[in-house]
Amino acid sequence: MQGSARRMGVMTDVHRRFLQLLMTHGVLEERDVKRMQKHCYKVHDRNATVDKLEDFINNINSVLESLYIEIKRGVTEDDGRPIYALVNLATTSVSKMATDFAENELDLFRKALELIIDSESGFASSTNILNLVDQLKGKKMKKKEAEQVLQKFVQNKWLIEKEGEFTLHGRAILEMEQYIRETYPDAVKICNICHSLLIQGQSCETCGIRMHLPCVAKYFRLNAEPRCPHCNDYWPHEIPEVFDPEKEREPGISKSNRKSLRSRRH
Amino acid sequence: MLQKPRNRGRSSGHAESVRDSSQGGDARAPRDCVAEEAPSTSRGPGGSQGPRGSSPQGARRSLAAPAVGPRTQKQLELKVSELVQFLLIKDQKKIPIKRADILKHVVGDYKDIFSDLLTLAAERLQYVFGYKLVELEPKSNTYILINTLEPVEEDAEVRGDQGTPTTGLLMIVLGLIFMKGNTIKETEVWDFLRRLGVYPTKKHLVFGDPKKLITEDFVRQRYLEYRRIPHTDPVDYEFQWGPRTNLETSKMKVLRFVAKVHNQDPKDWPAQYCEALADEENRARPQPSGPAPSS
């Protein structure tokens, strides 16, 4: 029986305002979520103690359960920052995008998604995506227009752009992981450590297993001689640093190893 | 991506033949790309569910118990969930949601329990999100969501802005209309706005295309009514408040806004103040309840 053991929580205006604001953003980093939570308490219940974020969110999720949606926590693939988004548990989803974008725009996204999933690095080049505009469903789209649509996706946090290449935003991964795994079961890559969908990451050159950068960071932390968890071969890549919310800076890879940075995305 | 046929030939209990034959397959056909991308059976009741006792008095407290025939509790919940999300997303655009669209895109072959679904969705929207589902005008068969939480200034920074600067312009126009006796000519609107540096023919840094905003967007969103005045040459139009405005704000609130802008008190405009008071009294009287469709 689904979740009947879990006692259903109670919604107050604090929780409602929080939910409304989260929905407006689409996706939020943890520190912003915490700030938002405090703001909601301030507006509605000044004197109450602010719940621990995890409990606060679990409470809301127990109410959302009957609607088959939940506030999901994820981690950005590039630097391990925790993020939150409201995701659909039941329907698969390009549906949330479907109301904001036209048919040909959605199809462009789908094409970009496929290129990203099929790629070795998790990135699809702008050129390759734009070359597919003739194959789009719906109204004919010119390349110039397609470039703008891609920018719209970036602004709406569905895609990230780096040096002319596109990959999935953490939000898209959170929202669409299930859809992607079901739709492209042969092409998807999975992280050897956390078993979640993997778009960007490092891979073992010998046996091919893959790991997210934050998973690599955690797994090999303080390990002087990192070895592949699967085949035990020497792990050939630079180990990134674990994201530390206290320091609130991006985990770095020392500059002297910029060359191996490129080899990450082979 | 086609929807897996749900409930087809499935004996989930008694008398499903009644529903099956009356619904047939047609109700499913018109679903467009929303449904195409969101086959809701992916993890849903589709094949794996099996015939569950259709006792509506399920363990779930969260749903009231419409007497529904062979659909399972879970199917109902999923349907309500789809409806809630559909309404939330559509309302973000501030365009009133037509009943026909709801039927077409979400309700489909559950249309026999449409009003129950809508009631359940409305309850969830209110309890979970703080939005009230209301019909724009009685018998209009279009709906909007009203936020029952008061907007708060700091929301804007926490929201990081996607909030609308255009609201400012809207408030000014609403104020103008009210102060001028609830109707104003378009020419008068532009005479006023020109003084604020807003022109019908010039791109504005914040508002973009003010003419389109005022004569098209706000009208489409039902904040304003825009009608041609007959026998005018050159053609002139008049503005009035639209139905959404009356639901989302009030004469008193708008009067207070105008007073604040002038650094005065609402009572400094006795005629308008009386009118606003009368309006407040009207609102305080008990309203006919609920969003349930008027048919």
Side-chain angles (χ1 to χ4, degrees), chain B residues 235-276:
Chain B
V235 175
D236 203 356
Y237 296 81
E238 65 182 13
F239 283 103
Q240 290 170 335
W241 281 17
R244 188 193 278 268
T245 299
N246 279 307
L247 289 169
E248 289 193 11
T249 185
S250 69
K251 290 179 175 175
M252 188 56 87
K253 286 191 184 143
V254 171
L255 180 59
R256 285 204 193 108
F257 167 78
V258 171
K260 201 163 139 197
V261 163
H262 287 87
N263 218 359
Q264 287 177 253
D265 188 274
K267 299 198 180 100
D268 295 343
W269 291 271
Q272 284 87 350
Y273 187 70
C274 277
E275 200 183 327

Side-chain angles (χ1 to χ4, degrees), chain A residues 2-48:
Chain A
Q2 230 167 337
S4 56
R6 196 149 49 147
R7 209 177 53 235
M8 191 154 89
V10 170
M11 291 297 278
T12 67
D13 280 349
V14 179
H15 303 99
R16 291 181 191 111
R17 189 172 289 271
F18 179 87
L19 246 193
Q20 283 191 14
L21 288 169
L22 183 60
M23 284 195 307
T24 318
H25 281 279
V27 63
L28 264 188
E29 278 187 45
E30 192 168 67
R31 63 172 173 207
D32 294 324
V33 172
K34 286 187 172 157
R35 207 161 49 105
M36 198 166 80
Q37 184 200 16
K38 290 198 183 78
H39 161 79
C40 295
Y41 269 97
K42 229 174 69 169
V43 172
H44 292 287
D45 203 356
R46 230 165 238 282
N47 299 318

Side-chain angles (χ1 to χ4, degrees), chain A residues 1-4 6-11 13 15-17 19-21 23-25 28 32 35-36 39 42-44 63-69 86 88-96 98-100 103 106 110 137 178-179 182-183, chain B residues 1 33-34 36-44 52 59-62 73-75 77-78 80-82 84-86 88-90 92-93 124 126-131 147-155 157-163:
Chain A
M1 283 274 263
Q2 230 167 337
S4 56
R6 196 149 49 147
R7 209 177 53 235
M8 191 154 89
V10 170
M11 291 297 278
D13 280 349
H15 303 99
R16 291 181 191 111
R17 189 172 289 271
L19 246 193
Q20 283 191 14
L21 288 169
M23 284 195 307
T24 318
H25 281 279
L28 264 188
D32 294 324
R35 207 161 49 105
M36 198 166 80
H39 161 79
K42 229 174 69 169
V43 172
H44 292 287
V63 176
L64 293 178
E65 206 182 324
S66 67
L67 289 174
Y68 298 88
I69 54 182
L86 193 63
N88 218 320
L89 294 177
T91 70
T92 62
S93 197
V94 188
S95 62
K96 202 168 274 183
T99 44
D100 279 337
E103 189 187 356
L106 283 178
R110 239 174 269 128
K137 293 187 212 161
Q178 191 196 333
Y179 166 78
E182 286 175 10
T183 314
Chain B
M1 219 193 280
C33 77
V34 174
E36 200 204 32
E37 290 314 317
S40 49
T41 53
S42 73
R43 252 226 294 199
R52 248 215 289 193
R60 297 255 172 195
R61 302 181 284 289
S62 52
Q73 193 72 2
K74 184 168 179 183
Q75 285 167 336
E77 288 178 350
L78 281 169
V80 172
S81 161
E82 266 183 70
V84 164
Q85 289 178 67
F86 180 79
L88 281 171
I89 296 177
K90 281 289 184 189
Q92 266 182 7
K93 314 232 168 238
R124 287 286 90 189
Q126 171 74 73
Y127 181 69
V128 179
F129 298 94
Y131 289 115
N147 198 344
T148 59
L149 300 180
E150 285 296 325
V152 158
E153 266 167 45
E154 297 76 33
D155 271 357
E157 31 165 292
V158 174
R159 202 172 39 209
D161 170 75
Q162 261 131 14

